[in-house]
Amino acid sequence: MLEGSIRIALIVLIALILRAVLHKIITRLTGGARQGKKPGLLKPLKERAPQALGALVSERREQRAKTIGSVLKSVITILVFGVAFIQILTELGMNVAPILTSAGILGVAVGFGAQNLVKDFLSGMFMMLEDQYGVGDVVDLGPATGTVEAVALRTTTIRDTNGTVWYVRNGEILRVGNSSQGFAVAVVDLPLGYGANLAEASQVMEKVARAVTEKEPLSNDVTAKPEVLGVEKVTPEGITMRVTVKTRPGRQWAVQRALRAQLMPALEEAGLKPPHKP
């Protein structure tokens, strides 16, 4: 009896020590984001954090590492204590086979009853591992479009341009449009009347667009020379000309507004009027 009690105490002690050691390792692997370093846990994983996020990069890394680390800690706790519990039952002389069978049946029942929760959890886990989006990204998730404020394993929190906060279940996200990865394109469409000289309009637009994008602060956001693509569409009201310029991710809207504010007066000064409304 005494020998059995010692073995049970030893099993509990080993389980506690093993859990503490593994948790400490995970904590070390998930640390360093606040100091601007990439956590060791994220090094083998893809990262698509855009440069435009600036100070938000460390926050995004910290949240991503913390979430993944939390899941790993929970899994380790369940596994270590689960194995220890079975070992203790064996030491007490109990037949664990029926218990394992009952646990398996119970797990299947719970799985069927919580399918949506499991779906949200798995979708969130894969999204974290693949770094599809993170804090500070501007995304279109279908149900909502806006800036990501928080990412969890079950839901994603988004604030749209009107200030409304949306909570989107990860399992309901069928597609992700991320405007904050790699690069972006500022697109400016300008309407002209049918009497406008299109060749002259193209020259004016190219000259003004280059002059505007070569000056600070806009030059810090632009990564390539503007392109005048020409006629985009023809409508009964008039002709639409299009200008595009490649920008840093997330900065396309600011560049669009600046270009539009300069291009429209320049075209009017050149005698290239917009279409007249009836």
Side-chain angles (χ1 to χ4, degrees):
M1 185 69 179
L2 180 61
E3 186 178 347
S5 300
I6 293 175
R7 283 200 295 265
I8 291 174
L10 189 59
I11 290 172
V12 173
L13 181 61
I14 292 174
L16 290 173
I17 294 174
L18 182 60
R19 175 183 175 273
V21 170
L22 293 175
H23 278 210
K24 189 172 182 179
I25 292 173
I26 293 174
T27 301
R28 291 188 63 181
L29 289 175
T30 56
R34 290 192 176 185
Q35 289 76 33
K37 299 178 181 178
K38 187 175 181 180
L41 186 66
L42 300 183
K43 289 181 179 179
L45 304 177
K46 292 181 180 179
E47 185 176 65
R48 302 187 178 95
Q51 295 178 352
L53 291 180
L56 286 177
V57 172
S58 58
E59 179 185 344
R60 171 173 172 168
R61 285 174 176 171
E62 182 183 2
Q63 185 182 44
R64 186 184 177 204
K66 187 183 295 182
T67 304
I68 297 175
S70 176
V71 174
L72 291 177
K73 287 180 179 179
S74 298
V75 171
I76 285 174
T77 299
I78 293 171
L79 289 177
V80 171
F81 285 162
V83 172
F85 180 69
I86 293 173
Q87 291 292 329
I88 290 172
L89 292 179
T90 303
E91 287 294 333
L92 293 174
M94 298 180 62
N95 186 6
V96 298
I99 297 176
L100 293 176
T101 304
S102 300
I105 296 173
L106 180 62
V108 172
V110 171
F112 277 113
Q115 289 184 54
N116 288 334
L117 186 62
V118 173
K119 183 180 178 183
D120 294 341
F121 179 86
L122 292 177
S123 298
M125 193 65 192
F126 280 112
M127 179 274 297
M128 284 282 186
L129 292 173
E130 295 172 1
D131 196 25
Q132 296 176 10
Y133 56 85
V135 175
D137 282 358
V138 179
V139 298
D140 178 359
L141 302 182
T145 301
T147 303
V148 178
E149 289 197 339
V151 180
L153 287 172
R154 199 180 73 82
T155 60
T156 295
T157 306
I158 292 179
R159 188 178 297 275
D160 64 18
T161 53
N162 297 322
T164 304
V165 177
W166 296 85
Y167 299 92
V168 184
R169 283 175 45 200
N170 294 330
E172 297 297 317
I173 299 173
L174 302 179
R175 61 170 176 79
V176 177
N178 196 324
S179 301
S180 304
Q181 289 181 355
F183 66 89
V185 178
V187 180
V188 179
D189 289 335
L190 297 170
L192 295 174
Y194 277 112
N197 186 324
L198 299 183
E200 183 182 357
S202 296
Q203 291 176 358
V204 172
M205 292 167 69
E206 183 176 4
K207 179 180 178 182
V208 174
R210 289 197 175 188
V212 172
T213 55
E214 286 174 358
K215 295 180 181 178
E216 292 186 353
L218 222 58
S219 60
N220 298 325
D221 297 327
V222 174
T223 59
K225 294 182 179 179
E227 293 184 70
V228 179
L229 302 184
V231 178
E232 174 61 22
K233 61 182 178 180
V234 178
T235 65
E237 291 78 23
I239 300 171
T240 301
M241 299 285 287
R242 171 165 290 185
V243 181
T244 62
V245 57
K246 189 179 290 186
T247 70
R248 293 194 300 130
R251 299 300 301 166
Q252 62 268 37
W253 299 287
V255 174
Q256 282 176 192
R257 289 191 291 269
L259 282 175
R260 192 176 291 111
Q262 297 294 327
L263 287 172
M264 291 180 67
L267 289 172
E268 291 187 4
E269 286 180 10
L272 302 165
K273 303 291 183 180
H276 296 287
K277 294 184 179 180

